[in-house]
Amino acid sequence: MLQRYRDKMIKIEEKQTICIDIDCISLKYLIDFYEKNAVTARNTTIFLVYDTDRFVTSVSYRDIANFKEEEELFYFIRYANIYMFDFELNEKNVEKIFRESAYCYYDILAEKPSRSKECHKFYNRNAMLDHSVICETYNELYEILQKKKINVYRVKIPVLSELSKPHEKFNYMLGDKWLTLLDKKEFLLKNLNKITDKSYDEVVRCFPKQGMKEKIGEGKKKIYLVGACIAAGWCHFEDEELAYDLYQEILRRNFDFEIIKVLQTRSIEDSMKRILEYDICQNDIVIFLDDYMSDNELDVKYLYDNYDGDKWLFTDIPIHTTKEGNILLAAELINRIIEPVYLRSEKSNDDVVLHQAERALRFDEEQEIIKYLGKIEKKSNLQTGAIVMNANPFTLGHRYLVETAKNMVDYLYIFVVEEDCSYYTFEDRLKMVKAGVQDMENVSVVPSGKFIISKGTFKNYFEKDYIADEQIDASNDICIFGTYIAPYLGISKRFVAEEPNDSVTRQYNEQMKEILPRYGIDLIEIPRKENNHEIISASTVRKSGKEDAWDKVSEMVPYTTFEVIRNYSVKREITEQPNVVIDKMREYIQNNDKLIVYGIGKNTQKLIGNIEIEDCKKIIFCDKKASENKCVFQGREVISPTELYRGYSDYNILITSHLYCKEIYFDLRHHGINRNKIWCNCWNI
């Protein structure tokens, strides 16, 4: 996900600043400040630390939330000095600092510090979306799901200023690590019984989790809780979060539901539309929970205003609910939404999937695809077909495919994969295709853009050499083609070559056969062209070229391609040869204990075959696949990334994936893993 939003991870925000001398700052001082001031000061106020007149660093609330001891703050101040650089800060090098600094998580000063200023501009990572954007997105999602006749509800949680009788000030979340400080014991003991049934010792020993389980319970129907902390159970004990209390009530009433939690952190790097990535059935229920809800079906402000118990319904703000607040809210959701839907659903068909394999684009992506399509010439009143090819390089096999397809339609579009991840550059591949079909009429050669076989729509295509014979999911790419591209250009036929060898391409073709007819598009497979009883393929051409077998190459490619590849001298950058990488991975495993290998694909399989049995025994395997189902590798259960973040943050982590290494690295760093604990064969991390 991060890779998809990388261009919007950082933006400049103006923050209130307080100048403080390094000898005056302490964790206690900072905590006391944030306790005495409004909750909003957390996100709006940052301290600028000076050593006499020399600026040292900045400290925000989100920094101290991760500290348990004064020593951690002092270490942060002295070693997180990220501002002493010889270059001007800009978005590009700021992103580099965010990636590489072990202690820089959220904010970087964007201008020279000055004691005279009370406000400074900061580069803010994972910046919050504007209130209006969040409200518009919820309404947009609501309309999309309603049109599918899905049971969808918007539940408005009040903000603090809307409550008629808020409880006394309690400015923290249960995830703030500094609550375990000894000098906070009296403060915590005084208020603990209003927040939780757990004892002080239990709270300190089993501090609320920073991760979450996505699914609770078993059931044929699903309830999707969509929103921020309140929906996801962030910074709660597992047996006190809303989803847990909701499921207990579901069990008591013998309803057939399971609960899926869909986290939205309201930040730019998050997908506010993640709910659209699930298969949602007619009898499922989607509940949006947020205090950013301009339009809604249920406003629960009355729950807070009418409550006369002696416990608190929230900690610092209403959306950070307590156990008592979750119990009240769970009962209301059951009575007002879930039970009525459940009683209606018993009379309807529960097997009709209304959202299967459909992946809607975000609003900004839709604007991009409209601009992309606007650059392509439309052909009206013609039967139109399409071929998508990587052409790495363009061969006589590709030309045969084009000639055959062209004779079956009035007009043919050839989309050349624009993602620059192949042996030959996109520029050269596009040049080869255009030159190879220049004598053909009614054929257009266009770049594929970001929405046809790209890393954003179909990553598996670019990791053929790094995954074993695994099942792939190309539905996102296919549905975007069927929803946006084909209707705009009037494409009714898509042509592919038969694929006897490449498992990824073969599965892609099979899935197109199943999905494209839903959009009124026929998939037509054409047998491969042969040369001397051998199938012509781009991989054979590349192999022959590397072996200087140019006579063989000349028999498989048009002369226009031959001219390009015969003199091709700029090879794609490959940092290290695979055998060198494996050697370095093996050496890393030998030299480190408490070790996690992240990824169980082809690279890891090759690695395991090249290390000693004793070294293999000490490895814990981690993979995203374990997030959805129980996963076993080398006879051992694989942990999920969430389990890694919660219980293995002090382990050394070896990332084996070549294609996903940067994305995994960013994810680990985002969850506070020290960069010195991570090793990967990344390009420039």
Side-chain angles (χ1 to χ4, degrees):
M1 193 61 71
L2 286 177
Q3 183 71 21
R4 208 170 155 194
Y5 291 86
R6 193 174 165 197
D7 60 331
K8 295 183 179 176
M9 282 179 66
I10 300 166
K11 74 175 182 180
I12 290 184
E13 290 185 346
E14 206 165 73
K15 307 269 188 178
Q16 297 295 319
T17 54
I18 298 174
C19 298
I20 187 168
D21 195 271
I22 193 169
D23 293 331
C24 300
I25 197 168
S26 68
L27 188 55
K28 184 179 185 307
Y29 172 87
L30 294 172
I31 292 168
D32 288 344
F33 169 83
Y34 286 113
E35 278 188 340
K36 290 173 185 175
N37 290 277
V39 175
T40 53
R42 293 179 180 177
N43 296 321
T44 59
T45 305
I46 295 181
F47 285 84
L48 300 183
V49 184
Y50 284 83
D51 186 354
T52 314
D53 289 326
R54 183 179 67 86
F55 174 72
V56 179
T57 191
S58 65
V59 181
S60 69
Y61 179 87
R62 289 194 286 184
D63 295 322
I64 70 167
N66 294 313
F67 299 151
K68 287 186 177 181
E69 301 173 355
E70 291 284 353
E71 287 75 11
E72 290 183 273
L73 174 63
F74 288 120
Y75 190 86
F76 175 87
I77 290 171
R78 285 167 173 76
Y79 296 99
N81 190 345
I82 58 172
Y83 304 99
M84 302 302 131
F85 290 93
D86 296 328
F87 52 78
E88 284 293 318
L89 290 182
N90 56 50
E91 192 164 327
K92 185 175 181 181
N93 53 43
V94 164
E95 183 180 344
K96 186 172 187 284
I97 296 169
F98 273 129
R99 292 202 312 267
E100 295 184 349
S101 171
Y103 292 95
C104 177
Y105 303 135
Y106 303 109
D107 302 284
I108 294 177
L109 195 62
E111 54 189 338
K112 292 182 179 179
S114 168
R115 282 185 181 275
S116 62
K117 285 188 178 180
E118 295 180 351
C119 196
H120 283 74
K121 289 182 179 178
F122 284 81
Y123 284 103
N124 184 238
R125 186 182 190 185
N126 306 328
M128 299 295 285
L129 292 167
D130 293 335
H131 183 284
S132 60
V133 174
I134 295 174
C135 292
E136 287 170 8
T137 304
Y138 275 125
N139 291 337
E140 183 184 349
L141 291 169
Y142 178 81
E143 289 176 7
I144 290 171
L145 297 178
Q146 259 216 329
K147 286 177 182 177
K148 296 289 183 181
K149 296 183 170 42
I150 290 169
N151 302 300
V152 55
Y153 298 87
R154 295 164 293 187
V155 178
K156 167 77 164 65
I157 310 297
V159 296
L160 199 58
S161 60
E162 293 172 338
L163 298 184
S164 60
K165 50 178 184 179
H167 60 64
E168 60 189 277
K169 193 180 294 184
F170 194 72
N171 287 350
Y172 74 89
M173 290 178 62
L174 280 175
D176 294 342
K177 298 290 195 302
W178 51 264
L179 280 174
T180 58
L181 289 169
L182 284 176
D183 64 353
K184 287 297 167 190
K185 182 174 182 178
E186 183 179 345
F187 169 78
L188 196 53
L189 281 171
K190 175 186 173 184
N191 299 298
L192 201 58
N193 66 330
K194 300 173 186 175
I195 299 168
T196 176
D197 292 338
K198 298 188 184 301
S199 68
Y200 173 82
D201 290 338
E202 284 179 299
V203 169
V204 173
R205 186 177 67 252
C206 310
F207 211 60
K209 63 189 186 306
Q210 292 286 343
M212 69 169 197
K213 290 181 180 176
E214 187 181 32
K215 173 184 168 185
I216 293 182
E218 299 287 341
K220 190 174 183 181
K221 306 177 183 69
K222 295 178 177 61
I223 297 171
Y224 294 91
L225 294 183
V226 186
C229 308
I230 190 171
W234 188 261
C235 293
H236 276 79
F237 296 105
E238 286 186 5
D239 58 351
E240 294 187 353
E241 62 175 289
L242 174 61
Y244 176 87
D245 291 321
L246 192 60
Y247 189 65
Q248 297 309 305
E249 188 64 27
I250 284 169
L251 289 177
R252 280 192 287 273
R253 303 199 189 194
N254 200 30
F255 292 167
D256 186 21
F257 279 113
E258 68 182 23
I259 298 175
I260 308 294
K261 298 182 291 180
V262 185
L263 174 65
Q264 292 180 334
T265 61
R266 305 171 178 169
S267 59
I268 287 176
E269 54 84 18
D270 261 344
S271 170
M272 285 288 291
K273 293 187 177 179
R274 189 176 158 226
I275 183 62
L276 299 178
E277 297 177 7
Y278 290 85
D279 292 335
I280 305 176
C281 298
Q282 187 177 32
N283 289 327
D284 292 344
I285 304 173
V286 177
I287 302 175
F288 294 113
L289 295 140
D290 212 320
D291 50 16
Y292 285 11
M293 203 77 72
S294 55
D295 299 312
N296 59 79
E297 285 65 57
L298 178 61
D299 186 338
V300 295
K301 177 179 180 294
Y302 61 89
L303 281 181
Y304 296 81
D305 288 342
N306 297 337
Y307 179 70
D308 58 2
D310 58 355
K311 294 197 173 185
W312 288 346
L313 304 185
F314 58 92
T315 53
D316 51 350
I317 53 176
I319 203 166
H320 296 152
T321 44
T322 61
K323 177 180 175 63
E324 184 75 4
N326 287 328
I327 290 173
L328 277 180
L329 188 55
E332 203 67 10
L333 293 178
I334 289 280
N335 294 330
R336 298 285 294 272
I337 295 175
I338 296 168
E339 184 172 36
V341 171
Y342 185 77
L343 294 176
R344 289 199 310 267
S345 68
E346 290 182 332
K347 302 174 183 178
S348 59
N349 183 359
D350 195 50
D351 299 323
V352 178
V353 178
L354 299 177
H355 206 177
Q356 185 177 25
E358 294 181 21
R359 301 294 185 261
L361 294 176
R362 301 190 320 271
F363 176 78
D364 58 322
E365 290 176 322
E366 287 185 338
Q367 300 310 301
E368 280 190 69
I369 204 168
I370 289 169
K371 287 181 182 177
Y372 163 73
L373 290 170
K375 296 176 183 178
I376 302 174
E377 185 182 357
K378 292 173 67 172
K379 298 295 178 181
S380 303
N381 302 320
L382 294 177
Q383 186 183 42
T384 306
I387 297 173
V388 179
M389 62 174 64
N390 196 28
N392 185 35
F394 184 78
T395 67
L396 290 172
H398 289 112
R399 182 174 168 90
Y400 173 74
L401 174 63
V402 174
E403 288 172 336
T404 306
K406 183 177 73 72
N407 292 330
M408 300 173 70
V409 291
D410 299 325
Y411 199 88
L412 182 68
Y413 290 100
I414 303 174
F415 296 94
V416 181
V417 174
E418 193 166 347
E419 202 75 68
D420 221 346
C421 296
S422 302
Y423 183 80
Y424 297 98
T425 66
F426 166 67
E427 184 181 350
D428 284 333
R429 288 185 287 107
L430 185 66
K431 184 193 303 181
M432 285 187 274
V433 177
K434 285 184 174 180
V437 300
Q438 62 186 342
D439 58 322
M440 299 183 189
E441 294 181 355
N442 296 332
V443 174
S444 285
V445 179
V446 295
S448 69
K450 293 171 59 177
F451 301 101
I452 307 176
I453 306 188
S454 69
K455 283 185 179 179
T457 65
F458 185 19
K459 272 192 173 182
N460 291 139
Y461 186 85
F462 304 97
E463 60 173 2
K464 295 177 183 180
D465 296 334
Y466 303 100
I467 58 175
D469 294 331
E470 300 174 3
Q471 185 173 355
I472 60 104
D473 179 10
S475 60
N476 189 18
D477 184 270
I478 300 167
C479 290
I480 289 173
F481 184 85
T483 303
Y484 297 94
I485 295 164
Y488 181 86
L489 297 173
I491 295 169
S492 59
K493 297 181 187 295
R494 184 156 165 183
F495 301 92
V496 296
E498 289 180 348
E499 184 49 68
N501 301 318
D502 184 341
S503 170
V504 171
T505 303
R506 185 168 62 251
Q507 289 184 69
Y508 183 46
N509 292 352
E510 289 168 356
Q511 290 177 28
M512 281 195 287
K513 257 188 219 175
E514 178 187 350
I515 297 173
L516 285 180
R518 301 177 195 171
Y519 299 95
I521 304 167
D522 296 325
L523 183 80
I524 300 172
E525 281 190 292
I526 296 173
R528 293 274 193 133
K529 184 176 177 63
E530 295 185 359
N531 176 57
N532 296 327
H533 306 292
E534 181 182 5
I535 290 175
I536 297 175
S537 71
S539 58
T540 305
V541 172
R542 293 195 302 274
K543 183 174 181 293
S544 300
K546 289 175 183 178
E547 295 171 350
D548 288 330
W550 295 108
D551 287 344
K552 184 175 181 180
V553 170
S554 66
E555 296 175 352
M556 293 186 287
V557 301
Y559 75 91
T560 49
T561 294
F562 190 81
E563 287 180 354
V564 175
I565 65 176
R566 182 68 178 87
N567 300 313
Y568 201 82
S569 59
V570 182
K571 293 187 178 180
R572 310 303 292 143
E573 290 184 12
I574 301 174
T575 307
E576 297 174 284
Q577 294 300 321
N579 58 327
V580 176
V581 174
I582 293 296
D583 288 343
K584 289 197 173 186
M585 288 181 181
R586 185 171 63 240
E587 183 181 345
Y588 184 84
I589 291 173
Q590 290 169 348
N591 295 337
N592 289 282
D593 293 318
K594 294 184 74 173
L595 182 70
I596 288 177
V597 168
Y598 198 126
I600 55 174
K602 196 169 184 179
N603 277 358
T604 302
Q605 294 181 22
K606 185 175 180 180
L607 173 64
I608 295 304
N610 283 274
I611 64 174
E612 300 294 331
I613 294 176
E614 290 304 312
D615 285 331
C616 186
K617 285 180 180 178
K618 68 182 180 182
I619 296 173
I620 294 173
F621 295 102
C622 174
D623 198 278
K624 286 185 178 180
K625 295 174 186 173
S627 300
E628 300 176 359
N629 302 298
K630 184 177 178 181
C631 190
V632 176
F633 183 76
Q634 294 291 310
R636 276 174 281 172
E637 190 166 339
V638 179
I639 66 171
S640 68
T642 301
E643 291 173 292
L644 187 159
Y645 306 141
R646 290 172 56 186
Y648 300 89
S649 59
D650 60 335
Y651 274 57
N652 296 297
I653 302 170
L654 169 65
I655 304 172
T656 59
S657 170
H658 177 76
L659 187 69
Y660 293 111
C661 57
K662 281 194 174 182
E663 183 175 323
I664 294 169
Y665 177 87
F666 292 151
D667 232 11
L668 291 169
R669 293 288 292 116
H670 179 66
H671 284 84
I673 305 296
N674 191 316
R675 76 181 182 93
N676 296 322
K677 291 283 186 181
I678 307 170
W679 189 95
C680 55
N681 62 319
C682 296
W683 307 292
N684 283 312
I685 284 180

